[in-house]
Amino acid sequence: MPHLQNRPTGSFPFLCTLDIHQTQFFLWEVPTLLVFANFPRISARITVLLTFLIALTFVSPAYAEPPYAKWGRMAMQQTKQHYPHAQIVDYLHVGRIKKTPTTSEETFKLLLQEGNRKRALFVHIEFDNKTEKVVRITFDERA
């Protein structure tokens, strides 16, 4: 336990010394000593904080659209045209497959509700890879 010693009479009250391992430190140096005593713990916290902040800078922006967003909007528009009385309750991108060397197909699962009846609708959009022109849109309804 460190020991505080008072300075001679007539000196400033804050000029007490702290005896740590037979080394004299003035009282205003104590906060610095306490920081260095807790350095490993403080260093670990700073490292975690810096790692978190650096990770945040590499996260993609929230406004970036996924590559299938264009096709998802099209699937919803076409579904509204083919099923005008149904409401789209849920939406899921199932995936993209390569149909031929020049075309790909995006598949979406939409959950439709018409009154009390719910049904799943799979929308398949086949398109040209280079021009992104739609080749075919098919609907596969499941109860």
Side-chain angles (χ1 to χ4, degrees):
M1 176 88 181
H3 177 68
L4 283 173
Q5 297 174 348
N6 288 325
R7 299 289 279 175
T9 315
S11 64
F12 292 103
F14 59 85
L15 289 180
C16 297
T17 58
L18 183 63
D19 184 17
I20 300 176
H21 306 292
Q22 278 121 28
T23 307
Q24 297 285 322
F25 295 101
F26 287 107
L27 196 55
W28 59 76
E29 295 175 342
V30 172
T32 306
L33 293 174
L34 294 176
V35 168
F36 285 121
N38 290 325
F39 186 74
R41 190 170 30 178
I42 293 170
S43 175
R45 288 180 181 165
I46 290 173
T47 302
V48 169
L49 178 65
L50 287 177
T51 304
F52 177 72
L53 292 175
I54 290 170
L56 282 179
T57 61
F58 292 109
V59 174
S60 62
Y63 56 83
E65 282 190 340
Y68 58 83
K70 169 185 175 181
W71 306 112
R73 284 190 295 273
M74 185 179 290
M76 292 178 70
Q77 289 170 351
Q78 293 296 317
T79 300
K80 288 177 185 177
Q81 287 179 2
H82 282 81
Y83 301 89
H85 300 292
Q87 290 183 340
I88 300 172
V89 179
D90 200 5
Y91 163 96
L92 173 70
H93 175 247
V94 177
R96 177 184 285 197
I97 60 169
K98 202 165 187 122
K99 293 280 277 195
T100 68
T102 58
T103 63
S104 294
E105 181 182 88
E106 289 282 1
T107 303
F108 299 91
K109 180 182 179 182
L110 303 176
L111 185 61
L112 303 180
Q113 182 172 358
E114 195 170 350
N116 291 334
R117 183 177 175 221
K118 285 187 180 180
R119 58 186 163 193
L121 178 70
F122 286 86
V123 182
H124 306 278
I125 303 175
E126 187 177 347
F127 60 94
D128 186 273
N129 291 332
K130 289 184 182 177
T131 63
E132 292 193 343
K133 288 188 178 181
V134 176
V135 175
R136 177 181 316 120
I137 298 177
T138 57
F139 298 93
D140 181 16
E141 188 176 332
R142 299 181 188 168

